[in-house]
Amino acid sequence: MIHGSIVAIVTPFKNGAVDYAKLGELIEFHIESGTHGIVPVGTTGESPTLSHSEHEEVIKFTVQTVRGRISVVAGTGSNSTEEALRLTEFAERVGTDAALVVTPYYNKPTQEGIYRHFRTVADKTSVPLILYNVPGRTVVNIEPETVERLFCDCENIIGIKEASGSLEQASRIIFLCGEDLILLSGDDAVNYPLLTVGGRGFISVTANIAPTEVSEMYNCFSKGEIESAKELHYRLLPLNRSLFVESNPIPVKAALALMGKISPEIRAPLYELSGENLESLRKELKKCGLA
């Protein structure tokens, strides 16, 4: 079952190419640290600037490296329905546990267009699908009523990564769909609050650098150790903010570089973190004992 702390893993680069050696090391780091699942090639994995062949190869490499030890939820979304379908079919063929399909971006589809987009992918595949709602990036919001319609009509749509930042919207989704729907936080700042309204976990940026703490917050909550989970939430709050001082994944790649895990290399039009933001991040990592 998809649950817990699912890391939206970065894609390391070396001299312009995907650094598969470092990606493999990161995957092992997460498995050893108690992470419950991995999302390769999401927003944090720089999916917009990977070629189609790179996108597929990163998914395949992740599945082969994980070897069933934790869940793999492949990022397969696109603003083109045909392309999203093709990527999802590929993810299904190589054995991912689920696919994360983002709302079409830039096109600004209506709610009916959103419904038809996801319905097409669902009807032509059998891999479990998780909707990805991130209106800050895509410009459009999947309304809770559209989520309900898709969840009722499509057997393989099992959940949603909710990154609107709205607890009201998350609550309305659970109210309409019930707790059989897997609600996942897509915003680290509200990971703990989302658990309290029926969430099953989070697809996390912060888990890239603090996997033990993020997974332990979920573990504590699931065991009924609410105060411990809340304490971890507030301990992680400043770190969460530090990782969004510039567009994701610029800060998290800088943090991993400061920790000695990868190169800070990132693809244009994004560029490496520098100046005051880099120094502030360095101080926060030291405060947390991470660098």
Side-chain angles (χ1 to χ4, degrees):
M1 186 186 74
I2 307 300
H3 72 285
S5 175
I6 304 165
V7 63
I9 197 166
V10 302
T11 301
F13 297 122
K14 183 178 181 180
N15 300 324
V18 176
D19 189 340
Y20 287 102
K22 288 298 182 185
L23 180 56
E25 290 174 10
L26 289 178
I27 291 169
E28 295 302 330
F29 168 60
H30 284 291
I31 292 171
E32 292 166 9
S33 300
T35 296
H36 302 98
I38 291 179
V39 172
V41 213
T43 307
T44 309
E46 293 178 77
S47 55
T49 50
L50 292 184
S51 69
H52 290 177
S53 60
E54 286 175 326
H55 194 127
E56 292 178 350
E57 187 57 36
V58 169
I59 292 172
K60 184 178 178 182
F61 177 87
T62 303
V63 171
Q64 292 176 340
T65 304
V66 168
R67 301 192 310 278
R69 290 175 288 173
I70 58 177
S71 299
V72 176
V73 182
T76 62
S78 172
N79 63 342
S80 160
T81 302
E82 184 178 344
E83 185 175 310
L85 174 59
R86 183 184 63 75
L87 289 169
T88 305
E89 288 173 333
F90 175 84
E92 183 171 16
R93 285 198 303 275
V94 299
T96 61
D97 298 288
L100 180 69
V101 186
V102 72
T103 313
Y105 42 87
Y106 188 79
N107 300 334
K108 294 187 72 174
T110 63
Q111 292 301 303
E112 181 62 25
I114 290 170
Y115 173 84
R116 293 187 187 192
H117 173 82
F118 286 116
R119 181 70 190 261
T120 297
V121 177
D123 283 350
K124 295 185 177 182
T125 61
S126 58
V127 66
L129 301 179
I130 298 172
L131 313 177
Y132 179 12
N133 188 40
V134 56
R137 293 257 187 179
T138 64
V139 193
V140 292
N141 182 55
I142 312 177
E143 295 296 333
E145 291 76 13
T146 304
V147 178
E148 178 190 25
R149 188 178 170 200
L150 285 162
F151 186 58
C152 291
D153 292 351
C154 306
E155 190 175 305
N156 55 330
I157 290 180
I158 63 168
I160 183 168
K161 176 185 176 183
E162 176 51 47
S164 68
S166 169
L167 289 175
E168 178 190 6
Q169 175 149 308
S171 299
R172 285 177 61 209
I173 290 169
I174 291 293
F175 176 75
L176 292 170
C177 299
E179 294 195 11
D180 285 342
L181 178 102
I182 299 171
L183 177 69
L184 300 168
S185 170
D187 181 352
D188 281 296
V190 297
N191 284 350
Y192 171 79
L194 219 68
L195 292 176
T196 69
V197 300
R200 304 272 198 92
F202 8 89
I203 295 180
S204 170
V205 175
T206 303
N208 277 282
I209 62 172
T212 302
E213 292 81 356
V214 177
S215 61
E216 187 59 21
M217 180 171 64
Y218 172 82
N219 293 337
C220 287
F221 189 91
S222 65
K223 291 184 292 185
E225 298 170 4
I226 306 303
E227 287 303 316
S228 296
K230 188 192 296 184
E231 180 184 336
L232 281 163
H233 166 67
Y234 283 111
R235 192 188 308 168
L236 288 165
L237 205 58
L239 186 60
N240 295 337
R241 288 178 61 85
S242 295
L243 294 179
F244 289 90
V245 291
E246 292 183 16
S247 297
N248 179 47
I250 295 170
V252 72
K253 277 197 147 179
L256 284 165
L258 290 169
M259 293 167 68
K261 293 194 175 293
I262 65 168
S263 158
E265 189 174 332
I266 197 161
R267 283 191 176 168
L270 301 183
Y271 56 91
E272 293 175 13
L273 192 68
S274 61
E276 291 181 4
N277 285 339
L278 181 61
E279 286 309 307
S280 295
L281 179 60
R282 191 194 309 272
K283 289 176 184 176
E284 187 59 43
L285 291 177
K286 285 184 177 179
K287 193 186 300 182
C288 297
L290 295 171

